[in-house]
Amino acid sequence: MKQDFYKIPFLFFFFLCVRLPAQEFTYQTFNASDGLPTSEIISLYKDSRGFLWVGTTLGVSRYDGYSFENFQTASGGHVIGNVICIKEDNRKKLWIGSHAGLFFLENNQIHKANLSESNLQGINDILPEEDGSIWLATENGPAYIKAAVLNNCKTQPIDLKKYILPDWLSQNDNQDVRRATYITKAP
């Protein structure tokens, strides 16, 4: 034991002598005066093409490094509203979750994927699967929607209530308990 004691001061001295290079970070702030519809930013996402997507309380904005393109309504006049999450699937389809429901980007236009219904339809998180299916954390609980259903959602809007996990609904009568705010995959 006494033989190894001399190594401790040497290691301490070695760590003190090693100098790591300082990391430098740069940042730029954006707000409504830079082209955003509002300065209230809720979510950010960088897609596979390098665009920065900014979820705000008034919709979603795409930043190309120079300017913002704002989307406050989807096709059909559907208000996008509070954008909580933005994710891209493996087919490079952008999904947008807001208090107004599930939206997607196709041909540079935002479309609403779900029916406009009166009950709570907010999307709090999105987890795309490899096969094109998605998991959703919604105000009514977790939902799973298969790729085949999602592929037709532009012409046949999705009734989100049908895709909430049935066991979740049967065990949680209270709306505050039913809400799912985050969804991820276990190892």
Side-chain angles (χ1 to χ4, degrees), residues 71-115:
F71 300 90
Q72 294 179 321
T73 58
S75 61
H78 300 284
V79 174
I80 299 169
N82 256 358
V83 175
I84 306 303
C85 59
I86 307 163
K87 300 281 175 77
E88 187 176 38
D89 65 20
N90 63 347
R91 294 178 291 175
K92 299 186 182 356
K93 188 173 203 171
L94 195 75
W95 293 97
I96 300 159
S98 84
H99 285 165
L102 181 65
F103 297 84
F104 64 95
L105 178 73
E106 186 176 271
N107 299 325
N108 202 37
Q109 190 172 17
I110 306 286
H111 302 278
K112 188 164 186 180
N114 64 296
L115 293 169

Side-chain angles (χ1 to χ4, degrees), residues 3-176:
Q3 300 172 33
D4 293 336
F5 187 73
Y6 72 91
K7 292 179 183 176
I8 293 173
F10 174 75
L11 288 173
F12 183 72
F13 177 74
F14 175 76
F15 287 123
L16 284 176
C17 293
V18 174
R19 184 170 176 225
L20 298 174
Q23 290 183 336
E24 293 184 30
F25 296 97
T26 60
Y27 66 92
Q28 186 173 356
T29 58
F30 296 104
N31 57 37
S33 66
D34 297 301
L36 284 169
T38 177
S39 296
E40 296 174 300
I41 296 171
I42 300 169
S43 58
L44 295 170
Y45 184 80
K46 184 179 176 185
D47 71 14
S48 61
R49 296 176 296 168
F51 291 115
L52 177 64
W53 290 87
V54 182
T56 73
T57 56
L58 295 176
V60 65
S61 300
R62 178 175 56 203
Y63 183 64
D64 61 7
Y66 301 101
S67 62
F68 288 97
E69 182 175 0
N70 300 314
F71 300 90
Q72 294 179 321
T73 58
S75 61
H78 300 284
V79 174
I80 299 169
N82 256 358
V83 175
I84 306 303
C85 59
I86 307 163
K87 300 281 175 77
E88 187 176 38
D89 65 20
N90 63 347
R91 294 178 291 175
K92 299 186 182 356
K93 188 173 203 171
L94 195 75
W95 293 97
I96 300 159
S98 84
H99 285 165
L102 181 65
F103 297 84
F104 64 95
L105 178 73
E106 186 176 271
N107 299 325
N108 202 37
Q109 190 172 17
I110 306 286
H111 302 278
K112 188 164 186 180
N114 64 296
L115 293 169
S116 294
E117 45 199 50
S118 60
N119 68 344
L120 294 174
Q121 57 186 340
I123 307 296
N124 299 317
D125 199 12
I126 302 169
L127 177 66
E129 289 279 15
E130 291 295 320
D131 67 354
S133 302
I134 59 174
W135 288 91
L136 302 172
T138 77
E139 288 295 308
N140 286 312
Y144 177 72
I145 306 173
K146 293 183 179 184
V149 174
L150 294 170
N151 291 338
N152 297 323
C153 67
K154 187 174 178 182
T155 56
Q156 297 174 343
I158 299 166
D159 183 357
L160 288 178
K161 291 183 291 187
K162 291 181 180 179
Y163 298 95
I164 303 294
L165 301 183
D167 290 344
W168 188 268
L169 287 175
S170 66
Q171 294 176 12
N172 299 300
D173 292 333
N174 184 336
Q175 176 63 45
D176 290 331

